[in-house]
């Protein structure tokens, strides 16, 4: 069977001052192109998966630069529509120690956000694919895109693709109520749920009482309830703890509806904190497509996202071998 | 009498790849904040003039960075409204030799473009001012801003300010017909007209037949007609010739309705071609406020803009002394 | 009442190799302009305070660049005298882990150091001001400037300003005996004392025996004695512990002569260790002007300086809101 | 008919000091990946052609980086063999004015240079292709690669592809005699010859006496003789004149065996002088595939290479539209 | 007696992406020149020792740049042969947290690797020297260089020089068996052995069972056995523990055949992990030449290498005073 | 006979904004170390001459960095005294087109400027030397250094060295009268005079009337008069014409007291205009030491300085071969 994975979402221009400079101090911005679903596609391509990204970008040089950035990493960009006026932007200021990172979105009116449901022909876009991945960001961009997302998951189910969804709730894009309502329509068509801890509470009111920040098993009833309510085959929860802007703890659990597997917990000196969840999703998809066990899957996905946080940019430029090596050893020995 | 000059317009974030890199090659952008009317204010402040800039910027860090960039150069930013969502952007790719420079605008929906005429209280904004400068860009940004511009020039006349206007026609913002109609309403309130050659033809159908690119005196009838039609006290025309992306010729003429003065012509190895016209306007305003003769005024203004093209960024970071030195000598001797 | 704060001191050009490069490896220097009292003014301006800086700078471009750097941050630079020959310089090499940071001063003969007491007309400089802040650095620069400092604090008291002084003893500038003697003349005119721990011992022989580095309450008798001896309304002591060049602990105490308030202690991954004390002083001044309680004041000031250590450059480019957020939560969550 | 073009050659890591720094002054190198045939493929891909590159690269990250650089520009890299030890390197120092550019090759032992003729299965590599382009560099890399080149052109002819060859004689790689002998075996299978002026003399002893450097028509007999001797359908000669390291003149002629077309001559302020000939070849191939006339073809190819010299890097990152615009106007007006 | 130290080995061009960028993300490489034995010479020269480096480099600009890099640091380069084709290269990717650093060697065929034993006239090269230092890297580069190394140590012994050898086993250059055999021939001529822990097991089968990673005294029998077997006057073992790519622990022991001295253990936030062992060797040689006690020697050498890990590049750009200061205090206080 | 050349002067830290940025725009400075006499030594060392530099530098890291910069280029730094407080600085802003370059000196109080005549033991410093070169800058730095210069030239003559002097009048350092008087005392001990055109008029009142800027032969009487008045064996005059900040014309003449030789005239696209005269002096010294004819000498020296203007920094990093190649061809062909 094919290993073609399709993702659907927006790719934005990320403008970030160098190093630890603040927005107010910057006289240049590092420019990379990223976005949740694009990041998943890039990571999958590094793992050797045939990954295609569906989106819309303007037909000018900034739009082309976004396309080229994906081609460079081996993502199939032939499904990207061209047209509209602008590439969405997000400004990123890197935090340090007690100073948090800061994001300013300037994504309204982008070619993708203005695109219509009718522009996406899912039968054609899913040709030859075995997996479809989406996130909660795309439906948050307006009615057309939540409708397009719903059509996409329905088509994916109809065509026999596995569907995964990273819930990825962003409070700057929509409120909890709308998000809960819209996502509740989509999730019945989803096989594998991925979410950060607490998002099941914010969106669906499934509350967990924690005794401490690392009381991970306390989430088990909530995850089971998610599986029950939406009929997921699997549900994964990422368990990030922000020690400081420089140090995060990172672990994950994976549930098949009844049993749980837990990854190792990593304490990570962060190079770039964006894209952690996306790299986890890519790791999970790769591991599933490779037929790994539930335990190996959550180990692989957590190790993949651990490595992401040590890599510059939105995207997890690491190979499956590198991830496996971390799963096996945890070591960081120079090789020479 | 006061030497306070007020300008009104948009300041944008300019994102430009370093050196001669193309958009498609860039992985960082130099970031400066500029815009026609802001550039005039900055140049005037370098000449020691009390220059204030009226605009609107969002109340977040990118907006603040734009404010700070003006404060750095000594511009009075206390008249800038804060609110709205975004700082307009323009992407700039520097051309070289036969390859032209390239601009991609991403300015729709900016805080300034979305601002309302009623937000600008001209009586208050003009307090203590003796000169008002605007350009044809602001009225191009929509009905609210063309209305605001009209109210501004009317108020300025009423309050006894001198009004200068750089016609600055931008075909990407509006068509010739609309531009001609809107500007024709504004110009009767303007004392001093500034325009690049040919714009009087595009907007007002005042045609000139040239025998060669440097047949500058051929424009005299057109300039006189401009003065006649709109009642200008003075009209200046900048005379740029693009030899290549690296080399421009630059001269100017100034007319008092009947007589003409011509500046020297400069052949310039260009460092940054943006802001040439703005620096000319600032030079003309400064020279006028300083009581220079018509000949000295056009000489000063042309030398100012010659120097601008040798300076990085949108803005003419040169002093009046430096301009005077070029007027006098044309020499570029190192001093040590 | 007005919220105008005046500070008095030197602003220098800081030349620092990029990143962790040593002086011997550098082929470029990052250039920022800073100095204790200027840093206080900049931080206050970010908090929305009307902050003015009194100093002297040469009338050439390097002097102007220093002025512009302050204008950018909203500091009132109209009180800066222009003249003399040079901008003082300090070279800064960033330490790492066990390798300490290194400073080489090249400030002798600067315009400020050569300025005369008679150049400063305090009645005029203090017009409209409610607070005067100075440090022990300015009096260390020679007899003229210690005389000027004394005249300044006397005038400030006479005019009803609150006077704060950061003791800031620098052994490279003067010896303990001279420093103790000169500062003892100034301090009776000071309302609020700020000092690093141990400086009261070095300068005034007020010794504290510590059982451990974090035995902070042991300093209470010494701080009370300072208040008693010089008649301070309040005395603050910053409590820095250098874990390594990359990690510092930072806390503070504030005493009203009899009672003590302690801030939280922060363990900080350092981005730039210069200006910690200056940002503390600015935080304390802002909190006092805002009418905060003693506890809130020391909390605000300590949090402000914690954030400073996470910001590049000498100056604390953070808003009062950002400081308050750290006071409240200590969290460093990305916002999106 | 298909528009698939296959090129065959080496792609190297180019290490160049920034700006005008000399090798001895450099403490960093800009890194791009380029080589004659790869450059042709990249340029063709920018023109919208399906371009594939055949080569061999090591299976490590530096090899992968070379692959990714081609993918970014849309080149089909699926035909690149992986294995061997190293990516060939060339060091490039940019000249200025009277100081010439300098190249140091470090390409011996590269994966490509060590590859064997038997590794290339031309039937398979040419599947679906209509054009094959090679240069005189590949045969210069040793017997295996000259044999592979010969097999390639034979297979191409057999399979009905058009074959073009850029003679590209490099004296640092082989001597004139060997080059002349080996190329004489290959050229009978070539349809379109491309060469710099004088190379027909160095390799095949076809001498031209010039009255002056721009006495271009003097080359006509030599070009006709080339066509006659090797049976070319067309022969193009590029006519570069080095005014200085910063300024080159560039023109070209194209002959169908009897008649000649000449391009306009461009005087170019050079940004990066590498890859001029390659961009000419790509322009010629594109124009031919587009069915342009001989005159339009040489105009397009010359304009393409003119633009290349204004672009950083080895590769001509310009679109066919941009080339057409230069052909039509020669203007370099900013568009806004 | 003289303090001239001679080292013998290869100096390579190190190409490393900036900061934490991966090879696949790099578009420039920082360029420094380094290699084990050259690094020892540089460190010794910073300590004021007359250090000479024996090697071979090509007679072109890249070779000259390597020479100049050593001259800059005060190393005597008059013994470097010139000729051959290339400077060996190693690509270095800096790891972070759980992501290990990565090295790709491209050193085959270098001028040094191709040099012949007969090119080195040891009598002449050792003129005036009192110490010879080599490592296990040079003999790994082929038969000629292992022969040259053997001739060198024999000559050194004959001429009365002290000989030190850093075992420095690199599995990418040769296998354990060959390494063990070749080094066993050399070591009888060596006075002072330096090795990382475990290398005595890999090469000579002297096994140590550890109860924990910091069970350093467990190595004592192995170190004694090394001394016994090869007749070393002293044997040093460096004790590195990789906590993560960012944090290493570092200590060392020194044995005179029977008794042991241990350095303090440093936990180090790493700036550049290359060259730790080399800086240890340099510290040991300097301390020995200075007549320090065994305890002082191992303290100095360990502190020297601790500082190295906080310095960018391969080379330990620190003075003996700076090392002594760390030995005494461990503090990292800024000095001003 | 020996080829050891001794030069005597100051080496300063040059701080220059990148590219064409103005002082007011800079947030970093490129840092190189240079000065007239040091530049001559560096250029001579590149030509293979044993060049020693006599000066005084502080005993801190910035002083050491200056020493290391000279060592890197092969200059003998063993004659540099260490002590005093500071390295002199000059700020350099690169001009462009009509905007002139700008220099701000901050050199007062440097270790060299404060050094005493008694610190220089010329007998010892000239040991083994055959040539002494000084310039008019050192005597301009005060009485001690003009006395030291006079002692130096007297000692040089006594010891049989050839003495060359580049008159190098700097109006920012001293006035014409003092300069003329002091230099008149020194010049009788000088064998070879080097000066820019017009300096003989400014200092010694030897006036030339020019018909045009390139009326070079008009200077012949003045040069002869110089030779006659001071008894020079040879006198060279450099003939620079500033076309713009980007373009200079450069030529030279050399006179043996009666006859004249003229170099070719170069029109140069300037990379870095500092150090042109110094590179000319080095070329003249090298050519003289190599026994070249008067014509060959002036050709070599002029070509050397032409190349300098195409090289970044103060110093002429070119080999004698590269100069010879320009003398022969004038060509700037890439070699590959």
């Amino acid at each position: 069977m094919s290993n073609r994975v399709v993702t659907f979402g927006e790719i934005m221009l990320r403008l970030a001052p160098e190093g630890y400079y603040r927005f107010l101090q910057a006289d240049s911005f590092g420019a990379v192109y990223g976005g949740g679903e694009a990041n998943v596609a890039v990571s999958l391509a590094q793992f050797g998966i045939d990954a295609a990204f569906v989106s819309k970008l303007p037909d000018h040089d900034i739009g082309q630069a976004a396309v080229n950035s994906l081609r460079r990493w081996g993502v199939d960009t032939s499904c990207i529509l061209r047209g509209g006026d602008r590439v969405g932007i997000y400004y990123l200021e890197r935090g340090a120690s007690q100073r948090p990172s800061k994001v300013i979105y300037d994504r309204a009116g982008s070619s993708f956000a203005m695109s219509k449901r009718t522009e996406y022909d899912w039968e054609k876009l899913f040709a030859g694919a075995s997996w479809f991945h989406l996130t909660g960001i795309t439906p948050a961009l307006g009615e057309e895109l939540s409708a397009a997302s719903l059509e996409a998951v329905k088509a994916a189910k109809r065509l026999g693709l596995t569907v995964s969804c990273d819930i990825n709730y962003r409070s700057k894009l929509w409120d909890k109520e709308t998000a809960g309502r819209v996502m509740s329509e989509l999730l019945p068509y989803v096989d594998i749920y991925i979410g950060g801890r607490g998002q099941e509470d914010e969106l669906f009111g499934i509350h967990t009482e924690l005794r401490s920040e690392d009381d991970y098993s306390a989430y088990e009833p909530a995850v089971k309830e998610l599986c029950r309510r939406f009929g997921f085959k699997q549900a994964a929860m990422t368990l990030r703890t922000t020690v400081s802007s420089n140090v995060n703890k990172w672990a994950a659990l994976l549930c098949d509806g009844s049993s749980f597997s837990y990854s190792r917990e990593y304490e990570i000196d962060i190079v770039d904190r964006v894209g952690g969840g996306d790299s986890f999703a890519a790791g999970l998809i790769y591991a599933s497509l490779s037929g790994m066990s539930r335990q190996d899957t959550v180990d692989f996905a957590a190790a993949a996202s651990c490595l992401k946080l040590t890599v510059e940019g939105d995207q997890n430029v690491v190979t499956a071998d590198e991830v496996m090596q971390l799963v096996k050893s945890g070591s960081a020995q120079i090789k020479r």
Side-chain angles (χ1 to χ4, degrees), chain A:
Chain A
M1 191 194 171
S2 102
N3 266 347
R4 183 171 172 90
V5 178
V6 175
T7 75
F8 173 49
E10 180 161 17
I11 183 164
M12 292 179 285
L13 170 58
R14 155 181 154 171
L15 296 172
E18 272 184 73
Y20 291 113
Y21 285 99
R22 304 211 70 186
F23 287 137
L24 294 181
Q25 299 173 310
D27 55 12
S28 71
F29 292 111
V32 298
Y33 296 87
E37 306 82 358
N39 301 345
V40 171
V42 167
S43 181
L44 286 169
Q46 304 322 295
F47 295 157
I49 298 290
D50 173 12
F53 180 57
V54 176
S55 190
K56 187 171 180 186
L57 282 166
D59 196 22
H60 58 43
D61 283 358
I62 306 301
Q64 188 62 42
V67 170
N68 289 5
S69 77
L70 292 169
R71 288 202 304 211
R72 176 183 183 179
W73 299 120
V75 172
D76 177 353
T77 60
S78 61
C79 300
I80 297 176
L81 309 173
R82 302 299 293 274
D85 293 328
R86 65 183 303 251
V87 175
I89 288 172
Y90 80 99
Y91 298 94
L92 173 71
E93 181 183 279
R94 186 177 301 207
S97 205
Q98 285 80 3
R99 179 167 60 77
S101 289
K102 215 167 169 177
V103 169
I104 297 175
Y105 282 114
D106 178 17
R107 60 193 297 176
S110 72
S111 293
F112 182 67
M114 304 305 281
S115 70
K116 302 296 172 198
R117 77 189 81 183
T118 52
E119 299 184 66
Y120 302 98
D121 177 351
W122 295 109
E123 297 276 337
K124 197 170 146 205
L125 292 166
F126 286 148
S130 57
W131 195 294
F132 176 56
H133 177 76
L134 85 165
T135 80
I137 298 171
T138 302
L141 298 179
E143 283 185 31
E144 285 291 328
L145 286 170
S146 51
S149 298
L150 189 58
E151 289 174 11
V153 291
K154 286 180 179 174
K157 288 315 294 176
R158 193 168 61 241
L159 296 164
L161 283 74
T162 301
V163 178
S164 55
C165 178
D166 183 344
I167 199 74
N168 236 331
Y169 172 63
R170 299 282 165 84
S171 61
K172 288 193 175 175
L173 294 178
W174 53 354
D175 60 68
K176 291 177 194 178
E177 290 65 36
T178 316
R181 180 173 46 73
V182 170
M183 294 311 291
S184 291
E185 288 179 68
L186 284 169
L187 290 176
Y189 302 93
V190 166
D191 300 292
I192 301 181
Y193 167 96
I194 301 164
R197 52 167 159 170
Q199 302 209 319
E200 70 289 349
D201 193 2
E202 295 184 294
L203 266 59
F204 312 115
I206 307 176
H207 186 66
T208 297
E209 203 65 46
L210 284 181
R211 276 162 310 183
S212 65
E213 272 217 282
D214 59 353
D215 178 19
Y216 300 145
S217 60
Y219 289 110
E220 295 196 357
V223 175
K224 280 187 186 163
E225 168 59 15
L226 274 172
C227 290
R228 199 201 52 75
R229 191 179 298 183
F230 297 108
F232 302 133
K233 291 189 190 123
Q234 290 190 308
M237 181 179 276
T238 57
L239 301 157
R240 186 193 283 233
T241 307
T242 300
V243 179
S244 78
S245 286
N246 301 74
V247 178
N248 280 195
K249 288 183 188 168
W250 185 273
L253 61 78
L254 182 58
C255 171
D256 62 3
S258 54
S259 303
F260 286 82
S261 296
Y262 287 84
S263 78
R264 185 193 306 168
E265 182 176 70
Y266 296 97
E267 180 158 337
I268 308 166
D269 288 317
I270 292 181
V271 170
D272 190 318
R273 59 154 288 148
V274 180
D278 307 327
S279 58
F280 180 84
L284 190 148
I285 295 168
Y286 172 79
S288 298
L289 284 170
S290 305
M292 290 189 196
S293 71
R294 193 178 67 221
Q295 182 62 49
D296 287 355
T297 295
V298 74
D299 280 342
F300 187 91
S305 46
C306 167
L307 287 179
K308 166 58 207 67
L309 300 188
T310 73
V311 170
E312 294 277 3
D314 279 36
Q315 296 161 342
N316 199 17
V317 182
V318 302
T319 63
D321 275 357
E322 290 176 317
V323 177
M324 287 308 302
Q325 204 173 315
L326 176 57
V327 169
K328 281 180 196 145
S329 71
S331 93
Q333 295 281 358
I334 194 170
K335 258 154 225 82
R336 59 183 180 182

